Amino acid sequence: MRNAAAGTGLLAALTLVAACTRAPAPIDPLPPQPTAPTASPTPSCTPEGIRITETGVSAAMGLRAMGLDLVNCGDQPYELRGYPAVRLRDADGDRITVRIVPGATGITSGFDAPPTRVVLRPGERAGAALLWRNTVTDATVVATEGRQLDVAPVSGRPAYPVALDGPIDLGNTGRLGVSAWKRRDPEVTTEPAEPSGPPSTADAPINPL
């Protein structure tokens, strides 16, 4: 009888321990690994054999200068003479009314060289610049901010979307200057020269041409 009672007590104790033991928590799966940001795809060569891209914005004292680069990515010579024809759109794709100024009269100086005939062989490039100020002179007028840009090589030719690194913030000036196309010199890779002095602190933006 004692053995039976002892066995019954041991069984009850084991049952109680088993009931009080928590089941192991499920192991969470590994969190998803973050994906590395992908670089913006290089624009494809257009049907007329060119590719237009932005080369960056220089800014100083409210003045902006954005470089444009046009490369002949076709297999035939490509002729340019004149100014890029540009169109601004907002974030929704709606066209923004803005006055396009050939050169930079009334905006700044140094970008008013007249157009010349430029013939690009395959692989050669031309450059131009967009100039504007982000001045706000009237608080009752909504500041203009272009989020999308279309560029035609010259007026009358097809326009192509150009990816922007940031907005074209015209303030409420409503004016955008455009310089004429100019041939770009071939890129030459050389050893960096020793600096001859401290960097310049001039306020003028860097000429992207």
Side-chain angles (χ1 to χ4, degrees):
M1 292 295 292
R2 288 181 180 178
N3 290 340
T8 302
L10 179 59
L11 179 61
L14 291 176
T15 302
L16 181 60
V17 170
C20 294
T21 302
R22 295 180 179 178
I27 299 174
D28 292 333
L30 292 175
Q33 296 297 317
T35 56
T38 56
S40 299
T42 301
S44 59
C45 197
T46 67
E48 60 179 312
I50 61 171
R51 181 168 56 243
I52 303 175
T53 55
E54 176 204 338
T55 62
V57 177
S58 174
M61 301 296 289
L63 179 62
R64 309 284 193 261
M66 173 189 290
L68 293 176
D69 182 79
L70 183 151
V71 61
N72 179 357
C73 51
D75 56 6
Q76 299 294 326
Y78 189 85
E79 181 175 343
L80 283 170
R81 187 185 183 96
Y83 301 88
V86 301
R87 181 172 61 236
L88 280 182
R89 292 178 284 135
D90 60 20
D92 296 325
D94 297 325
R95 186 168 181 175
I96 296 174
T97 301
V98 59
R99 178 188 172 195
I100 305 298
V101 180
T105 302
I107 301 174
T108 188
S109 59
F111 293 87
D112 294 315
T116 58
R117 181 174 178 265
V118 178
V119 179
L120 302 176
R121 292 177 296 181
E124 292 186 331
R125 300 173 181 271
L130 305 183
L131 296 306
W132 73 93
R133 291 189 181 275
N134 69 338
T135 309
V136 176
T137 58
D138 186 348
T140 64
V141 178
V142 178
T144 300
E145 195 169 78
R147 291 284 181 171
Q148 301 177 47
L149 175 68
D150 299 320
V151 179
V154 293
S155 180
R157 293 189 187 173
Y160 305 99
V162 174
L164 297 176
D165 287 337
I168 296 179
D169 51 342
L170 298 178
N172 57 22
T173 63
R175 183 168 51 189
L176 181 65
V178 183
S179 75
W181 289 110
K182 178 181 177 181
R183 180 186 300 277
R184 286 195 188 276
D185 294 331
E187 295 182 0
V188 178
T189 302
T190 59
E191 292 297 325
E194 291 294 329
S196 58
S200 172
T201 57
D203 290 333
I206 299 172
N207 189 331
L209 299 181

